[in-house]
Amino acid sequence: MRSSDFDLFIIGGGVNGCGIARDAAGRGLSVCLAERNDLASATSSASTKLFHGGLRYLEYFEFRLVRDALIERETLLRAMPHIAWPMRFVLPYHPDMRFDSETPTSRLLTRILPGMKGRRPAWLIRLGLFLYDSLGRCQILPGTERLDLADSPEGQPLQDRFRLAFEYSDCWVEDSRLVVLNARDAAERGARIMVRTEVTSARRMKDHWLIEMVDKDSGQTHSATADMLVNAAGPWAAETVTATIGQGASARLRHVRGSHIVVERLYDHDKCYFLQGSDGRIVFAIPYETDFTLIGTTDVDHADIGERPYCTDEERDYLLAFVNRYFDRQLSAGDVVWTYSGVRPLYDDGAQTAAAATRDYVIEADTDGALLINIFGGKITTYRKLAEHALDEIAAHRPDIAPGWTAGVALPGGDFPVDAFDSQVEALRQRYPFLDIGWARRLARAYGTDAFTLLGDARNAGDLGRDFGARLTQREVDWLVEKEWAREADDILWRRSKLGLRFDSAMVARLSDYMDRQTRRSAAE
C-alpha cells in the first residue's frame, strides 16, 4: 500500500470499528480500517450471541441502557434477518430462590420488605418482565407469558421442583458474522479494510494523523495519513491511547472475562433458558448449531490484557454446577465439547464486582488538534447506536457529511422480511435441488440472499468444487477468502462459521493446505 490520504482512519476490526466504518463510508467519508488480526478475532466473536436489553440490568436501575438496547433490538432484527432472529427465553421460578443482596433493587426491597430475606416473589419478577416489555415498545417480538411447567416441553428437561416459569422475548445474533457483514458493507461503500495489519504508531501532526503500519504476514511496513482517527481497539483501547497514539485518556477500562461451554444438545425444543443464581449472576442455556447447547457466561476480572483469555477449569465447573441446579440431566466436564472465552472491555464505573459493572459505553473526543475519538465499553446490541454517536462527534468537525442512515438498512444478504427466512430456504432448495435442508439452512443463515450469488450456476454439488467436510465447499471457501477477508482455516471454521465443531484434525489440515496455496498464489500475482 502506498501512502494514502483518508478522511477517517479506524484502529480495530471488532463490531464497533466495523460499525463505525460502515456508517462513515455511507455518509461519504473516505475510510480506512486496520485490524491487527482477523476481523472479530477477540471480544466480538466471544459473546453470548444475543441482541438483548439485559433483563438483569434492571436490578441495577440501568433503565436508559435497557430501554435503548430493547428498542434497538428490533431495528437490528429488520436489517439482518439471516444472522439474527427472535428467540423465546424461559425463566424458571421457585419460591426458595435467593438473589444477590448487593444490587440496588435488593437493598431497596430489604428496607421496604425486610422479611423477604433475598427472595423475589413471582409477582415481582412478573412486574420486572412487564417493565422489560414496556421499555422495549415491541412491534415484532411477542410479550411475556406465564408457563405451567408440569406437562410442557419447556418443563420436561427441568427438575421437578420447578413448576412455574415466565417466558419472554429477545434475539439471537451470529456475532462474528455481524462484524464481517458490517465490514463488507463498508467496503462496498468505498472503505478500505485491512486485516492482519498492525498499527505501530499514530502521530498527530498539525492538522492530520500519520499512521504507521506493518503487514503481519509479509512484514512490510507502510503509512497513511488521515484527517481523523478512531480508536476502537476494544480491550486494548486504553493501551492504544497511551502506547500507540501517545496521548492521555481520562476514561478507564475494566477487563472482564466471559467464558462459555458447549455441550451436546441438552433438550429438544428451540427456546433458551434464563437461569438465576444466588450470587447475583445469570447463566443462559441456548440451542446452538442444531446439535449443541451453549452455556454461559461467567464474569471474572481479567487482570493481564496480554494474557489470552481461556475458560479455566474453575469457570467450566462453575457453569456446570449452575445448570446442574436446574436440569435433570447432570453434566460433568466430560460432556463439554468446546469452550471459548473473551475479554469484555467495560467502562470502569467503580463497581465492586465484575457482574455489576456497567455495559454502557463512553465516547471520548480529543479535539486538541486533528480529531481523535476513543471508544470505551459498550455491548453488541448497541453497536449501531455507538457508531451513530461517534459520527455525531465527527459531524461537529465535518458538518458537510451526510446524516445518519443505518437504521433499518439491510446488511449484505439481509434484504428480505423478518418472517421470511423459511421462504428463503425453500427458494434456495427450489433453485438448487441438490441442497438438503440442513445445508440450505446453513447457507441461508450465513449469507441470506447472497447465497444465490455464491452458488451461482451450480447444477449439482460437484459444480461447487472440493468438499472439505461438513458441506464446506471450495466455492464457499473462495468466497470467504475473496469477499470476507478469511486468511486461515480458523477464520472460516470459528468466525465465518462454527463448522469447527464438525471438523476433525485431518479435515482442518486439508483446508489449511488449500488456503495456504491460495494465499501464495495471490501473493505471486
Side-chain angles (χ1 to χ4, degrees):
M1 172 181 167
R2 292 177 299 177
S3 184
S4 304
D5 287 331
F6 298 94
D7 295 322
L8 182 66
F9 194 100
I10 301 167
I11 302 174
V15 69
N16 291 334
C18 291
I20 292 169
R22 180 196 184 216
D23 195 334
R27 298 195 197 204
L29 296 178
S30 58
V31 177
C32 184
L33 179 148
E35 163 55 47
R36 66 180 178 180
N37 296 307
D38 182 29
L39 297 175
S41 57
T43 305
S44 293
S45 60
S47 75
T48 311
K49 310 182 194 312
L50 299 176
F51 279 153
H52 67 136
L55 180 60
R56 74 177 184 87
Y57 305 149
L58 293 178
E59 289 258 322
Y60 296 92
F61 299 157
E62 294 257 22
F63 299 118
R64 184 199 57 78
L65 174 65
V66 173
R67 183 194 69 240
D68 289 351
L70 288 173
I71 294 171
E72 182 69 1
R73 216 177 34 175
E74 297 200 356
T75 299
L76 298 174
L77 189 58
R78 289 186 177 94
M80 54 196 81
H82 50 330
I83 63 166
W85 56 91
M87 183 174 282
R88 295 291 278 174
F89 288 68
V90 177
L91 193 163
Y93 175 77
H94 190 276
D96 291 338
M97 292 168 64
R98 295 292 189 274
F99 299 84
D100 183 8
S101 62
E102 296 304 315
T103 69
T105 296
S106 290
R107 291 195 293 269
L108 180 62
L109 284 173
T110 299
R111 287 197 297 269
I112 298 173
L113 301 169
M116 297 292 294
K117 297 181 179 179
R119 288 192 295 267
R120 298 283 190 277
W123 64 262
L124 184 60
I125 292 178
R126 183 65 185 88
L127 179 62
L129 287 165
F130 172 78
L131 180 60
Y132 198 68
D133 289 342
S134 301
L135 288 171
R137 301 197 298 241
C138 300
Q139 297 178 3
I140 299 173
L141 303 175
T144 298
E145 296 180 357
R146 182 186 177 103
L147 285 179
D148 181 355
L149 296 175
D151 297 307
S152 69
E154 297 85 358
Q156 191 276 329
L158 296 173
Q159 296 172 14
D160 288 342
R161 64 193 181 95
F162 296 103
R163 313 298 292 176
L164 168 66
F166 299 98
E167 182 180 296
Y168 70 97
S169 292
D170 264 321
C171 299
W172 173 269
V173 62
E174 300 286 2
D175 54 4
S176 51
R177 288 214 58 75
L178 171 68
V179 177
V180 170
L181 293 182
N182 270 273
R184 268 195 59 203
D185 202 24
E188 289 170 5
R189 298 174 190 276
R192 185 168 206 164
I193 307 295
M194 300 187 298
V195 299
R196 291 179 169 79
T197 301
E198 183 172 5
V199 174
T200 54
S201 74
R203 287 182 290 163
R204 183 183 257 149
M205 313 306 282
K206 288 184 178 180
D207 59 354
H208 66 277
W209 289 92
L210 175 63
I211 301 104
E212 303 286 347
M213 294 163 276
V214 59
D215 184 309
K216 294 180 70 174
D217 290 334
S218 68
Q220 293 183 340
T221 60
H222 47 264
S223 63
T225 58
D227 295 337
M228 299 169 285
L229 181 68
V230 169
N231 166 23
W236 297 273
E239 178 183 271
T240 298
V241 174
T242 55
T244 305
I245 302 174
Q247 303 287 321
S250 59
R252 295 186 305 166
L253 286 178
R254 181 172 190 165
H255 297 117
V256 176
R257 187 172 67 249
S259 295
H260 301 74
I261 61 176
V262 175
V263 300
E264 290 186 359
R265 188 165 180 155
L266 195 52
Y267 50 88
D268 292 331
H269 59 78
D270 61 358
K271 297 178 182 178
C272 167
Y273 287 94
F274 178 110
L275 310 177
Q276 304 173 87
S278 58
D279 60 355
R281 298 218 63 261
I282 60 98
V283 164
F284 295 104
I286 311 174
Y288 189 60
E289 295 295 315
T290 306
D291 300 317
F292 304 93
T293 299
L294 172 66
I295 298 169
T297 178
T298 60
D299 273 316
V300 181
D301 284 313
H302 191 81
D304 184 2
I305 191 58
E307 179 183 341
R308 184 172 181 174
Y310 68 95
C311 181
T312 65
D313 289 348
E314 291 77 13
E315 288 175 288
R316 177 202 64 200
D317 293 343
Y318 170 84
L319 293 172
L320 290 170
F322 206 117
V323 297
N324 283 342
R325 291 193 289 270
Y326 280 84
F327 290 98
D328 267 335
R329 178 182 162 193
Q330 296 293 286
L331 299 172
S332 66
D335 294 306
V336 177
V337 299
W338 182 51
T339 69
Y340 68 89
S341 186
V343 175
R344 296 188 287 270
L346 305 182
Y347 175 68
D348 190 353
D349 61 351
Q352 290 186 348
T353 66
T358 183
R359 266 54 176 176
D360 211 345
Y361 58 81
V362 170
I363 297 176
E364 185 182 83
D366 181 344
T367 60
D368 186 17
L371 180 64
L372 167 65
I373 294 178
N374 295 309
I375 307 296
F376 300 103
K379 59 198 296 264
I380 193 168
T381 313
T382 52
Y383 90 92
R384 191 197 65 84
K385 294 296 291 184
L386 182 152
E388 278 192 337
H389 291 158
L391 267 294
D392 289 344
E393 294 286 351
I394 289 171
H397 299 268
R398 289 285 299 269
D400 57 319
I401 70 171
W405 61 277
T406 57
V409 176
L411 288 174
D415 50 338
F416 61 91
V418 170
D419 59 356
F421 176 76
D422 289 338
S423 299
Q424 288 293 310
V425 174
E426 182 58 31
L428 203 58
R429 295 193 73 197
Q430 287 181 3
R431 176 85 65 87
Y432 305 99
F434 59 88
L435 297 176
D436 61 37
I437 186 65
W439 192 0
R441 287 184 67 85
R442 183 182 73 77
L443 292 176
R445 279 293 180 214
Y447 307 105
T449 55
D450 279 345
F452 294 92
T453 307
L454 187 157
L455 295 172
D457 58 359
R459 296 183 178 181
N460 55 62
D463 289 339
L464 300 177
R466 184 176 178 182
D467 186 338
F468 294 96
R471 302 297 186 127
L472 176 67
T473 65
Q474 183 176 336
R475 184 172 297 187
E476 185 177 358
V477 171
D478 291 346
W479 170 285
L480 294 170
V481 170
E482 294 166 9
K483 296 185 180 295
E484 297 195 5
W485 300 277
R487 298 291 181 268
E488 298 177 354
D490 276 2
D491 301 348
I492 291 177
L493 297 178
W494 295 111
R495 285 179 286 278
R496 307 309 184 277
S497 75
K498 289 298 180 286
L499 291 174
L501 289 166
R502 306 181 189 280
F503 264 53
D504 60 28
S505 58
M507 295 157 71
V508 173
R510 287 194 294 271
L511 176 61
S512 294
D513 179 66
Y514 176 79
M515 294 184 71
D516 287 345
R517 284 188 282 110
Q518 292 295 91
T519 300
R520 288 196 298 270
R521 184 179 297 116
S522 297
E525 294 173 355

